[in-house]
Amino acid sequence: MMKSDLSPNGAWHGLPLSPAQNREVLNYIQRCERAGVAWDTPALRDMLHDMLHPPEVALDSTDELTQYAENEVFAATHEEPDDRPVDDAP
């Protein structure tokens, strides 16, 4: 089968992939073809398995999710003192 074997819904081989997952699969295949290596490998099968059967994240409560989100926002919007660029110019 070729990488262009897209189903009518646009996903590779008719798998229920998101557009981002579909692009990732097609890019993997394209990289392999450019390198002249086989693309139908256990690595591709593992990638598809992970996409189709992602691990479940068990959250104890919405409070845990809220705290996680707040921590991520804080980390993304605050820099540590050592993270700032140093200006060595006199």
Side-chain angles (χ1 to χ4, degrees):
M1 293 186 202
M2 298 299 297
K3 70 176 181 180
S4 60
D5 290 343
L6 298 177
S7 70
N9 69 1
W12 187 72
H13 287 261
L15 296 173
L17 301 175
S18 71
Q21 291 171 325
N22 194 56
R23 283 190 306 274
E24 186 174 348
V25 169
L26 294 176
N27 286 335
Y28 172 82
I29 293 169
Q30 186 178 35
R31 285 191 313 269
C32 289
E33 287 179 344
R34 286 182 182 162
V37 297
W39 55 264
D40 190 13
T41 63
L44 176 63
R45 287 188 287 280
D46 290 345
M47 178 176 28
L48 290 169
H49 182 269
D50 288 346
M51 290 175 174
L52 297 171
H53 307 286
E56 291 188 25
V57 177
L59 297 175
D60 293 336
S61 68
T62 56
D63 292 339
E64 186 178 334
L65 179 60
T66 302
Q67 182 62 44
Y68 174 79
E70 288 172 358
N71 290 344
E72 289 297 309
V73 169
F74 180 83
T77 57
H78 293 82
E79 54 182 41
E80 294 293 320
D82 294 341
D83 292 343
R84 284 180 270 153
V86 176
D87 186 9
D88 291 335

Coordinates of all heavy atoms in Angstrom, one line a residue:
M1 N 0.8 -1.2 0.0 CA 0.0 0.0 0.0 C 0.9 1.2 0.0 O 1.9 1.3 0.6 CB -0.9 0.0 1.2 CG -1.9 -1.1 1.2 SD -3.0 -0.9 2.6 CE -3.6 -2.6 2.6
M2 N 0.4 2.3 -0.6 CA 1.1 3.5 -0.7 C 0.7 4.5 0.3 O -0.4 4.4 0.9 CB 0.9 4.1 -2.1 CG 1.4 3.2 -3.2 SD 3.2 2.9 -3.2 CE 3.8 4.5 -3.4
K3 N 1.6 5.5 0.6 CA 1.2 6.5 1.6 C 0.0 7.3 1.2 O -0.6 7.9 2.0 CB 2.4 7.4 1.8 CG 2.7 8.3 0.6 CD 3.8 9.2 1.0 CE 4.1 10.1 -0.2 NZ 5.2 11.1 0.0
S4 N -0.3 7.3 -0.1 CA -1.4 8.0 -0.6 C -2.7 7.3 -0.5 O -3.8 7.7 -0.9 CB -1.2 8.5 -2.0 OG -1.1 7.3 -2.9
D5 N -2.7 6.1 0.2 CA -3.9 5.3 0.3 C -4.8 6.0 1.4 O -4.9 5.5 2.6 CB -3.6 3.9 0.8 CG -3.0 3.1 -0.4 OD1 -3.1 3.5 -1.5 OD2 -2.4 2.0 -0.1
L6 N -5.5 7.0 1.0 CA -6.3 7.7 2.0 C -7.8 7.3 1.8 O -8.2 7.1 0.6 CB -6.2 9.3 1.8 CG -4.8 9.8 2.0 CD1 -4.8 11.3 1.7 CD2 -4.4 9.6 3.4
S7 N -8.5 7.2 2.8 CA -9.9 6.9 2.7 C -10.7 8.1 2.4 O -10.1 9.2 2.4 CB -10.4 6.3 4.1 OG -10.4 7.4 5.0
P8 N -12.0 8.0 2.1 CA -12.8 9.2 1.8 C -12.8 10.2 2.9 O -12.9 11.4 2.6 CB -14.2 8.6 1.6 CG -13.9 7.2 1.2 CD -12.7 6.7 1.9
N9 N -12.6 9.8 4.1 CA -12.6 10.8 5.2 C -11.2 11.5 5.3 O -11.0 12.3 6.2 CB -13.0 10.2 6.5 CG -12.0 9.2 7.1 OD1 -11.0 8.9 6.5 ND2 -12.4 8.6 8.3
G10 N -10.2 11.1 4.5 CA -9.0 11.8 4.5 C -7.9 11.2 5.4 O -6.8 11.6 5.4
A11 N -8.2 10.2 6.2 CA -7.2 9.6 7.1 C -6.5 8.4 6.5 O -7.1 7.7 5.6 CB -7.9 9.1 8.4
W12 N -5.3 8.3 6.9 CA -4.5 7.2 6.3 C -5.1 5.8 6.6 O -5.4 5.5 7.7 CB -3.1 7.3 6.8 CG -2.1 6.4 6.2 CD1 -1.6 6.5 5.0 CD2 -1.5 5.2 6.8 NE1 -0.7 5.5 4.7 CE2 -0.6 4.7 5.8 CE3 -1.6 4.6 8.0 CZ2 0.1 3.5 6.1 CZ3 -0.9 3.5 8.3 CH2 0.0 3.0 7.3
H13 N -5.3 5.1 5.5 CA -5.9 3.7 5.6 C -7.3 3.7 6.4 O -7.6 2.7 6.9 CB -5.0 2.7 6.3 CG -3.8 2.4 5.4 ND1 -3.8 1.2 4.7 CD2 -2.7 3.0 5.1 CE1 -2.7 1.2 4.0 NE2 -2.0 2.3 4.2
G14 N -8.0 4.9 6.4 CA -9.3 4.9 7.0 C -9.2 4.9 8.6 O -10.3 4.7 9.2
L15 N -8.1 5.0 9.1 CA -8.0 5.0 10.6 C -8.5 6.3 11.2 O -8.5 7.3 10.6 CB -6.5 4.8 11.0 CG -5.8 3.5 10.6 CD1 -4.3 3.6 11.0 CD2 -6.5 2.4 11.3
P16 N -9.1 6.2 12.4 CA -9.7 7.3 13.0 C -8.6 8.2 13.7 O -8.5 8.3 14.9 CB -10.6 6.7 14.1 CG -10.0 5.4 14.4 CD -9.3 4.9 13.2
L17 N -7.9 8.9 12.8 CA -6.8 9.8 13.3 C -7.2 11.2 13.2 O -8.0 11.6 12.3 CB -5.5 9.6 12.4 CG -4.9 8.2 12.3 CD1 -3.8 8.1 11.3 CD2 -4.5 7.7 13.7
S18 N -6.7 12.0 14.1 CA -6.9 13.4 14.0 C -6.1 14.0 12.8 O -5.2 13.3 12.3 CB -6.5 14.1 15.3 OG -5.0 14.1 15.4
P19 N -6.4 15.2 12.3 CA -5.6 15.7 11.2 C -4.1 15.8 11.6 O -3.2 15.5 10.8 CB -6.2 17.1 11.0 CG -7.6 17.0 11.4 CD -7.5 16.0 12.6
A20 N -3.8 16.1 12.8 CA -2.4 16.2 13.3 C -1.7 14.8 13.3 O -0.6 14.7 12.8 CB -2.3 16.9 14.6
Q21 N -2.4 13.8 13.7 CA -1.9 12.5 13.7 C -1.7 12.0 12.3 O -0.7 11.3 12.0 CB -2.8 11.5 14.5 CG -2.9 11.8 16.0 CD -4.0 11.0 16.6 OE1 -5.0 10.8 16.1 NE2 -3.7 10.6 17.9
N22 N -2.6 12.3 11.4 CA -2.5 11.9 10.0 C -1.3 12.5 9.4 O -0.6 11.8 8.7 CB -3.8 12.2 9.3 CG -3.9 11.6 8.0 OD1 -3.9 10.3 7.9 ND2 -4.1 12.3 6.9
R23 N -1.1 13.8 9.7 CA 0.1 14.4 9.1 C 1.4 13.8 9.7 O 2.4 13.6 8.9 CB 0.1 15.9 9.4 CG -0.8 16.7 8.6 CD -0.6 18.2 8.8 NE -0.7 18.7 10.1 CZ -1.9 19.0 10.8 NH1 -3.0 18.9 10.1 NH2 -1.9 19.4 12.0
E24 N 1.4 13.4 10.9 CA 2.6 12.8 11.5 C 2.9 11.5 10.9 O 4.0 11.2 10.6 CB 2.3 12.6 13.0 CG 3.6 12.1 13.7 CD 3.4 12.0 15.2 OE1 2.4 12.6 15.8 OE2 4.3 11.4 15.9
V25 N 1.9 10.7 10.6 CA 2.0 9.4 9.9 C 2.6 9.6 8.5 O 3.6 9.0 8.1 CB 0.7 8.6 9.9 CG1 0.9 7.4 9.0 CG2 0.3 8.1 11.3
L26 N 1.9 10.5 7.8 CA 2.4 10.8 6.4 C 3.8 11.3 6.4 O 4.6 11.0 5.5 CB 1.4 11.7 5.7 CG 0.0 11.1 5.5 CD1 -0.9 12.2 4.8 CD2 0.1 9.9 4.6
N27 N 4.1 12.2 7.3 CA 5.5 12.8 7.4 C 6.5 11.7 7.7 O 7.6 11.6 7.1 CB 5.6 13.9 8.4 CG 5.0 15.2 7.9 OD1 4.8 15.4 6.7 ND2 4.5 16.0 8.8
Y28 N 6.2 10.7 8.6 CA 7.1 9.6 8.9 C 7.3 8.8 7.7 O 8.5 8.5 7.4 CB 6.4 8.8 10.0 CG 7.2 7.5 10.3 CD1 8.3 7.5 11.1 CD2 6.8 6.3 9.7 CE1 9.0 6.3 11.3 CE2 7.5 5.1 9.9 CZ 8.6 5.1 10.7 OH 9.3 4.0 10.9
I29 N 6.3 8.5 7.0 CA 6.4 7.7 5.7 C 7.3 8.4 4.7 O 8.2 7.8 4.1 CB 5.0 7.3 5.2 CG1 4.3 6.4 6.1 CG2 5.2 6.7 3.8 CD1 2.9 6.1 5.8
Q30 N 7.0 9.7 4.5 CA 7.8 10.5 3.6 C 9.3 10.5 4.0 O 10.2 10.4 3.1 CB 7.2 11.9 3.5 CG 7.9 12.8 2.4 CD 7.2 14.1 2.4 OE1 6.8 14.7 3.4 NE2 7.2 14.7 1.2
R31 N 9.6 10.7 5.3 CA 11.0 10.7 5.7 C 11.7 9.4 5.4 O 12.8 9.4 5.0 CB 11.1 11.1 7.2 CG 10.8 12.5 7.5 CD 11.2 12.9 9.0 NE 10.7 11.9 10.0 CZ 9.5 12.0 10.6 NH1 8.7 13.0 10.3 NH2 9.2 11.1 11.5
C32 N 11.0 8.3 5.7 CA 11.5 7.0 5.4 C 11.8 6.8 3.9 O 12.8 6.3 3.5 CB 10.6 5.9 5.9 SG 10.5 5.8 7.7
E33 N 10.8 7.2 3.1 CA 11.0 7.0 1.6 C 12.2 7.9 1.1 O 12.9 7.4 0.3 CB 9.7 7.4 0.9 CG 8.6 6.4 1.1 CD 7.3 6.8 0.4 OE1 7.1 8.0 0.0 OE2 6.5 5.9 0.2
R34 N 12.3 9.1 1.6 CA 13.5 9.9 1.2 C 14.8 9.3 1.6 O 15.8 9.4 0.9 CB 13.4 11.3 1.8 CG 12.3 12.2 1.2 CD 12.3 13.6 1.8 NE 11.3 14.4 1.2 CZ 10.8 15.5 1.8 NH1 11.3 15.9 2.9 NH2 9.9 16.2 1.2
A35 N 14.8 8.6 2.8 CA 16.0 8.0 3.3 C 16.2 6.6 2.6 O 17.3 6.0 2.8 CB 16.0 7.8 4.8
G36 N 15.2 6.2 1.9 CA 15.4 4.9 1.2 C 15.2 3.7 2.1 O 15.8 2.6 1.8
V37 N 14.5 3.9 3.2 CA 14.3 2.8 4.1 C 12.9 2.4 4.2 O 12.0 3.2 3.8 CB 14.8 3.1 5.6 CG1 16.3 3.4 5.6 CG2 14.1 4.3 6.1
A38 N 12.6 1.2 4.7 CA 11.2 0.7 4.8 C 10.5 1.5 5.8 O 11.0 1.9 6.8 CB 11.2 -0.8 5.2
W39 N 9.2 1.8 5.5 CA 8.4 2.6 6.4 C 7.4 1.7 7.2 O 6.9 2.1 8.2 CB 7.7 3.8 5.7 CG 6.9 3.4 4.5 CD1 7.3 3.4 3.2 CD2 5.5 2.9 4.5 NE1 6.2 3.0 2.4 CE2 5.1 2.7 3.2 CE3 4.6 2.7 5.5 CZ2 3.9 2.3 2.9 CZ3 3.3 2.3 5.2 CH2 3.0 2.0 3.9
D40 N 7.1 0.6 6.6 CA 6.1 -0.3 7.3 C 6.9 -1.2 8.3 O 7.2 -2.3 8.1 CB 5.4 -1.2 6.2 CG 4.2 -2.0 6.8 OD1 3.8 -1.6 8.0 OD2 3.8 -2.9 6.2
T41 N 7.2 -0.6 9.4 CA 8.0 -1.1 10.4 C 7.3 -1.2 11.8 O 6.2 -0.7 12.0 CB 9.3 -0.3 10.6 OG1 8.8 1.0 11.1 CG2 10.0 -0.1 9.3
P42 N 7.9 -1.9 12.7 CA 7.3 -2.0 14.1 C 7.2 -0.5 14.7 O 6.3 -0.3 15.4 CB 8.3 -2.8 14.9 CG 8.9 -3.7 13.9 CD 9.0 -2.9 12.6
A43 N 8.1 0.4 14.3 CA 8.0 1.7 14.8 C 6.8 2.4 14.4 O 6.1 3.1 15.2 CB 9.3 2.5 14.4
L44 N 6.4 2.2 13.1 CA 5.1 2.8 12.6 C 3.9 2.2 13.3 O 3.0 2.8 13.7 CB 5.0 2.6 11.1 CG 3.7 3.1 10.5 CD1 3.5 4.6 10.7 CD2 3.6 2.8 9.0
R45 N 4.0 0.8 13.5 CA 2.9 0.2 14.2 C 2.7 0.6 15.6 O 1.6 0.8 16.1 CB 3.1 -1.4 14.1 CG 2.8 -1.9 12.7 CD 2.7 -3.4 12.6 NE 4.1 -4.0 12.7 CZ 4.9 -4.1 11.7 NH1 4.6 -3.7 10.5 NH2 6.1 -4.7 11.9
D46 N 3.9 0.8 16.3 CA 3.8 1.3 17.7 C 3.3 2.7 17.7 O 2.5 3.1 18.6 CB 5.2 1.3 18.3 CG 5.7 -0.1 18.5 OD1 4.9 -1.1 18.5 OD2 6.9 -0.3 18.8
M47 N 3.7 3.6 16.7 CA 3.2 5.0 16.7 C 1.7 5.0 16.5 O 0.9 5.7 17.2 CB 3.9 5.7 15.6 CG 3.4 7.1 15.4 SD 4.2 8.2 14.2 CE 4.8 7.2 13.0
L48 N 1.2 4.1 15.6 CA -0.3 4.1 15.3 C -1.0 3.5 16.6 O -2.1 4.0 16.9 CB -0.5 3.2 14.1 CG -0.1 3.8 12.8 CD1 -0.2 2.8 11.7 CD2 -1.0 5.0 12.5
H49 N -0.4 2.5 17.2 CA -1.1 2.0 18.4 C -1.2 3.0 19.5 O -2.2 3.2 20.1 CB -0.3 0.8 18.9 CG -0.9 0.1 20.1 ND1 -0.6 0.5 21.4 CD2 -1.8 -0.8 20.2 CE1 -1.3 -0.2 22.3 NE2 -2.1 -1.0 21.6
D50 N -0.1 3.8 19.7 CA -0.2 4.9 20.7 C -1.2 5.9 20.3 O -1.9 6.5 21.2 CB 1.2 5.5 20.8 CG 2.2 4.6 21.5 OD1 1.8 3.6 22.1 OD2 3.4 5.0 21.5
M51 N -1.3 6.2 19.0 CA -2.3 7.2 18.6 C -3.8 6.7 18.8 O -4.6 7.5 19.2 CB -2.1 7.6 17.1 CG -0.9 8.4 16.9 SD -0.7 8.6 15.1 CE 0.7 9.7 15.0
L52 N -4.0 5.4 18.5 CA -5.3 4.9 18.6 C -5.7 4.4 20.0 O -6.9 4.4 20.3 CB -5.4 3.7 17.6 CG -5.3 4.1 16.1 CD1 -5.2 2.8 15.3 CD2 -6.4 5.0 15.7
H53 N -4.7 4.2 20.8 CA -5.0 3.7 22.2 C -4.1 4.5 23.2 O -3.2 3.9 23.8 CB -4.7 2.2 22.3 CG -5.4 1.4 21.3 ND1 -6.7 1.1 21.4 CD2 -4.9 0.8 20.2 CE1 -7.0 0.4 20.4 NE2 -6.0 0.2 19.6
P54 N -4.3 5.8 23.3 CA -3.5 6.6 24.2 C -3.7 6.2 25.7 O -4.8 5.7 26.0 CB -4.0 8.0 24.0 CG -5.4 7.9 23.5 CD -5.4 6.6 22.7
P55 N -2.7 6.4 26.5 CA -2.8 6.0 27.9 C -3.8 7.0 28.5 O -3.9 8.2 28.2 CB -1.4 6.2 28.5 CG -0.7 7.1 27.5 CD -1.3 6.9 26.2
E56 N -4.6 6.4 29.4 CA -5.6 7.3 30.1 C -4.9 8.0 31.3 O -4.1 7.4 32.0 CB -6.7 6.4 30.6 CG -7.6 5.9 29.5 CD -8.8 5.2 30.0 OE1 -9.3 5.6 31.1 OE2 -9.3 4.3 29.3
V57 N -5.2 9.2 31.4 CA -4.7 10.0 32.6 C -5.8 10.0 33.6 O -6.9 10.6 33.4 CB -4.4 11.5 32.1 CG1 -3.9 12.3 33.3 CG2 -3.3 11.4 31.0
A58 N -5.5 9.4 34.7 CA -6.5 9.4 35.8 C -6.3 10.6 36.7 O -5.2 10.7 37.3 CB -6.3 8.1 36.6
L59 N -7.3 11.4 36.8 CA -7.2 12.6 37.7 C -8.2 12.3 38.8 O -9.3 11.8 38.6 CB -7.7 13.9 36.9 CG -6.7 14.3 35.8 CD1 -7.3 15.5 35.1 CD2 -5.4 14.6 36.3
D60 N -7.7 12.6 40.0 CA -8.6 12.4 41.2 C -9.8 13.3 41.3 O -10.8 13.0 41.8 CB -7.7 12.5 42.5 CG -6.7 11.4 42.6 OD1 -6.9 10.3 41.9 OD2 -5.7 11.6 43.2
S61 N -9.5 14.5 40.8 CA -10.6 15.5 40.9 C -10.4 16.6 39.9 O -9.3 16.7 39.4 CB -10.8 16.0 42.3 OG -9.6 16.8 42.6
T62 N -11.3 17.5 39.8 CA -11.1 18.7 38.9 C -10.1 19.6 39.6 O -9.5 20.4 38.9 CB -12.5 19.4 38.6 OG1 -13.1 19.7 39.9 CG2 -13.4 18.5 37.8
D63 N -10.0 19.6 40.9 CA -9.0 20.4 41.6 C -7.6 20.1 41.1 O -6.8 21.0 40.9 CB -9.1 20.2 43.1 CG -10.4 20.8 43.7 OD1 -11.1 21.6 43.0 OD2 -10.8 20.4 44.8
E64 N -7.3 18.8 40.9 CA -6.0 18.4 40.5 C -5.7 19.0 39.1 O -4.7 19.5 38.8 CB -5.9 16.9 40.5 CG -4.5 16.4 40.2 CD -4.4 14.9 40.2 OE1 -5.1 14.3 41.0 OE2 -3.5 14.4 39.5
L65 N -6.7 18.9 38.2 CA -6.6 19.4 36.8 C -6.5 20.9 36.9 O -5.6 21.5 36.1 CB -7.9 19.0 36.0 CG -7.9 19.5 34.6 CD1 -6.7 19.0 33.8 CD2 -9.2 19.1 33.9
T66 N -7.2 21.6 37.7 CA -7.1 23.0 37.8 C -5.7 23.4 38.3 O -5.1 24.4 37.7 CB -8.2 23.6 38.8 OG1 -9.5 23.2 38.3 CG2 -8.1 25.1 38.9
Q67 N -5.2 22.8 39.3 CA -3.9 23.1 39.8 C -2.8 22.8 38.7 O -1.9 23.6 38.6 CB -3.6 22.2 41.0 CG -2.2 22.5 41.7 CD -2.1 24.0 42.2 OE1 -3.1 24.5 42.8 NE2 -1.0 24.6 41.9
Y68 N -3.0 21.7 38.0 CA -2.0 21.4 36.9 C -2.0 22.6 35.9 O -1.0 23.0 35.4 CB -2.4 20.1 36.3 CG -1.5 19.8 35.0 CD1 -0.2 19.3 35.2 CD2 -2.0 20.0 33.8 CE1 0.5 19.0 34.1 CE2 -1.3 19.7 32.7 CZ 0.0 19.2 32.8 OH 0.8 19.0 31.7
A69 N -3.2 23.0 35.5 CA -3.3 24.1 34.5 C -2.7 25.4 35.0 O -2.1 26.1 34.2 CB -4.8 24.3 34.1
E70 N -3.0 25.7 36.3 CA -2.4 26.9 36.8 C -0.9 26.8 36.8 O -0.2 27.8 36.6 CB -3.0 27.1 38.2 CG -4.4 27.5 38.3 CD -5.0 27.6 39.7 OE1 -4.3 27.2 40.6 OE2 -6.2 27.9 39.8
N71 N -0.3 25.7 37.2 CA 1.1 25.5 37.2 C 1.7 25.7 35.8 O 2.8 26.3 35.6 CB 1.5 24.2 37.8 CG 1.2 24.0 39.2 OD1 1.1 25.0 39.9 ND2 1.2 22.8 39.7
E72 N 1.0 25.2 34.8 CA 1.5 25.3 33.4 C 1.5 26.7 33.0 O 2.4 27.2 32.3 CB 0.7 24.4 32.5 CG 0.9 22.9 32.7 CD 2.3 22.5 32.3 OE1 2.8 22.9 31.3 OE2 3.0 21.9 33.2
V73 N 0.4 27.4 33.3 CA 0.3 28.9 32.9 C 1.4 29.7 33.6 O 2.1 30.5 33.0 CB -1.1 29.4 33.3 CG1 -1.1 30.9 33.1 CG2 -2.2 28.8 32.4
F74 N 1.6 29.4 34.9 CA 2.6 30.1 35.6 C 4.0 29.8 35.0 O 4.8 30.8 34.8 CB 2.6 29.7 37.1 CG 3.7 30.4 37.9 CD1 3.5 31.6 38.4 CD2 4.9 29.8 38.1 CE1 4.4 32.3 39.1 CE2 5.9 30.4 38.8 CZ 5.7 31.7 39.4
A75 N 4.3 28.6 34.7 CA 5.6 28.2 34.1 C 5.8 28.9 32.7 O 6.9 29.3 32.4 CB 5.7 26.7 34.0
A76 N 4.7 29.0 32.0 CA 4.8 29.6 30.7 C 4.9 31.1 30.7 O 5.4 31.7 29.7 CB 3.6 29.2 29.8
T77 N 4.5 31.7 31.8 CA 4.5 33.2 31.8 C 5.5 33.8 32.7 O 5.6 35.0 32.8 CB 3.1 33.7 32.2 OG1 2.7 33.2 33.4 CG2 2.1 33.3 31.1
H78 N 6.2 33.0 33.4 CA 7.2 33.6 34.4 C 8.6 32.9 34.1 O 8.7 31.8 33.8 CB 6.9 33.2 35.8 CG 5.6 33.9 36.3 ND1 4.4 33.5 36.0 CD2 5.5 35.1 37.0 CE1 3.5 34.3 36.5 NE2 4.1 35.3 37.1
E79 N 9.6 33.7 34.1 CA 10.9 33.2 33.9 C 11.7 33.3 35.2 O 11.5 34.2 36.0 CB 11.7 34.0 32.8 CG 11.7 35.4 32.9 CD 12.4 36.1 31.8 OE1 12.2 35.7 30.6 OE2 13.2 37.0 32.0
E80 N 12.6 32.3 35.3 CA 13.4 32.3 36.5 C 14.5 33.3 36.3 O 14.9 33.7 35.2 CB 14.1 30.9 36.7 CG 13.1 29.8 37.0 CD 12.4 30.0 38.3 OE1 13.1 30.3 39.3 OE2 11.2 29.7 38.4
P81 N 15.1 33.8 37.4 CA 16.2 34.9 37.3 C 17.3 34.4 36.5 O 17.9 35.2 35.7 CB 16.6 35.1 38.8 CG 15.4 34.7 39.6 CD 14.7 33.6 38.8
D82 N 17.7 33.1 36.5 CA 18.8 32.6 35.8 C 18.5 32.4 34.3 O 19.4 32.2 33.5 CB 19.3 31.3 36.3 CG 19.9 31.4 37.7 OD1 20.3 32.6 38.1 OD2 20.0 30.4 38.4
D83 N 17.2 32.5 33.9 CA 16.8 32.2 32.5 C 16.9 33.5 31.7 O 16.8 33.4 30.4 CB 15.4 31.7 32.5 CG 15.3 30.3 33.0 OD1 16.3 29.7 33.2 OD2 14.1 29.9 33.3
R84 N 17.1 34.6 32.3 CA 17.2 35.9 31.5 C 18.5 36.0 30.7 O 19.5 35.6 31.3 CB 17.0 37.1 32.4 CG 15.6 37.3 32.8 CD 15.4 38.5 33.7 NE 15.6 38.0 35.0 CZ 16.1 38.7 36.0 NH1 16.4 39.9 35.9 NH2 16.2 38.2 37.2
P85 N 18.5 36.5 29.5 CA 19.7 36.7 28.8 C 20.7 37.6 29.5 O 20.2 38.6 30.1 CB 19.3 37.2 27.4 CG 17.9 37.5 27.5 CD 17.3 37.0 28.8
V86 N 21.9 37.3 29.4 CA 23.0 38.1 30.1 C 23.5 39.1 29.0 O 23.9 38.7 28.0 CB 24.1 37.3 30.7 CG1 25.1 38.1 31.3 CG2 23.5 36.3 31.7
D87 N 23.6 40.4 29.4 CA 24.2 41.4 28.5 C 25.6 41.6 29.0 O 25.8 42.3 30.0 CB 23.4 42.6 28.5 CG 23.9 43.6 27.5 OD1 24.7 43.3 26.7 OD2 23.4 44.8 27.5
D88 N 26.6 41.1 28.3 CA 28.0 41.3 28.7 C 28.6 42.5 28.1 O 29.8 42.8 28.3 CB 28.8 40.0 28.2 CG 28.4 38.8 29.0 OD1 28.0 39.0 30.2 OD2 28.6 37.7 28.5
A89 N 27.9 43.3 27.3 CA 28.4 44.5 26.7 C 28.7 45.5 27.8 O 28.0 45.7 28.7 CB 27.4 45.1 25.7
P90 N 29.9 46.2 27.6 CA 30.3 47.2 28.6 C 29.4 48.4 28.6 O 28.8 48.8 27.7 CB 31.7 47.6 28.3 CG 32.0 47.0 26.9 CD 30.9 46.0 26.6

